[in-house]
Amino acid sequence: TLGRWFKKEINGIEHDVTLTDGAELYFMTNGATTFTVDFTVITTKATPYFAVSIDGKEPVRHLITESTVTLPDASRHAVRIIADGLTETEGKWKEERGFAIKDIYVNAGKMKAIYPTNDIIFYYGDSITEGINAFGTSGNSNTNSATNSYAYHSAKELEAIPYIIGYGGTGVLSVGSFNTFIKAIDNLSQARADTDTT
């Protein structure tokens, strides 16, 4: 994984959770024709989107409720999953509402976790970093997109991987969609310190 992921038990099952658009994970498949990202919906507003890049191609957005993705064929493929669109006013800080992954599995063959070899650029900021309103002005999951953000595209131009942490409206004194700048660095949520990362 790349980004602010943490382990959380939901309905008695451990999940990997992130509260910020732009968090990523990587794996390799061999012998599979589809894979499924088993999300648990923990949001209360518009359904979030995730994006999938296969073998370095442009990412394609999917609703987390439509999480089975077809691979080009059954040969070896590198897969990049990106938390792409979360409604800005979800209760990220107090309620830990974001993306929750229970499991990822293939329909056949094998899969294994991998880590990118490109340089990584760390981006910390607000709505511009997160990609809020990349496709419109509602601030909802369908108009927000980390893969259409300044951070994502500037890293791509430098042939690097973006490590994105963006919370819309966050500032020195402004709480925005998460908390003030200093608390958003020190905490993953109101009740979770940044030392709880995976």
Side-chain angles (χ1 to χ4, degrees):
T1 61
L2 188 65
R4 303 188 95 187
W5 294 91
F6 56 88
K7 299 288 186 187
K8 181 175 182 178
E9 191 172 293
I10 301 168
N11 301 325
I13 299 169
E14 187 174 74
H15 288 67
D16 289 299
V17 174
T18 186
L19 310 178
T20 185
D21 289 325
E24 303 186 12
L25 55 88
Y26 299 80
F27 57 90
M28 184 81 70
T29 66
N30 193 1
T33 56
T34 68
F35 68 86
T36 300
V37 185
D38 192 358
F39 288 98
T40 296
V41 178
I42 60 172
T43 53
T44 58
K45 300 196 175 182
T47 304
Y49 286 81
F50 72 108
V52 177
S53 171
I54 299 171
D55 300 327
K57 292 186 171 56
E58 285 299 309
V60 176
R61 281 167 54 98
H62 304 266
L63 287 166
I64 65 166
T65 52
E66 300 168 4
S67 58
T68 296
V69 177
T70 301
L71 292 160
D73 52 47
S75 64
R76 186 184 314 209
H77 296 287
V79 179
R80 179 182 184 186
I81 303 292
I82 306 158
D84 195 54
L86 183 64
T87 295
E88 187 58 14
T89 55
E90 283 288 359
K92 302 176 197 176
W93 175 251
K94 292 183 180 178
E95 291 85 26
E96 291 187 345
R97 300 203 181 279
F99 296 89
I101 297 176
K102 186 179 352 180
D103 195 10
I104 301 173
Y105 53 89
V106 290
N107 68 328
K110 298 178 181 179
M111 66 178 291
K112 68 175 184 175
I114 58 174
Y115 197 77
T117 57
N118 301 56
D119 289 337
I120 296 170
I121 301 174
F122 182 83
Y123 293 88
Y124 193 100
D126 56 10
S127 58
I128 294 171
T129 305
E130 191 179 6
I132 300 302
N133 292 333
F135 298 132
T137 59
S138 71
N140 294 329
S141 62
N142 63 325
T143 63
N144 300 341
S145 174
T147 57
N148 285 278
S149 69
Y150 167 81
Y152 185 88
H153 283 289
S154 62
K156 181 180 174 184
E157 287 299 311
L158 296 168
E159 298 181 352
I161 299 294
Y163 186 122
I164 298 173
I165 299 174
Y167 301 112
T170 298
V172 175
L173 299 175
S174 173
V175 169
S177 67
F178 203 69
N179 208 309
T180 58
F181 184 77
I182 191 65
K183 288 188 178 177
I185 288 176
D186 291 342
N187 281 65
L188 300 173
S189 70
Q190 179 174 302
R192 195 177 301 270
D194 66 356
T195 53
D196 293 337
T197 56
T198 58

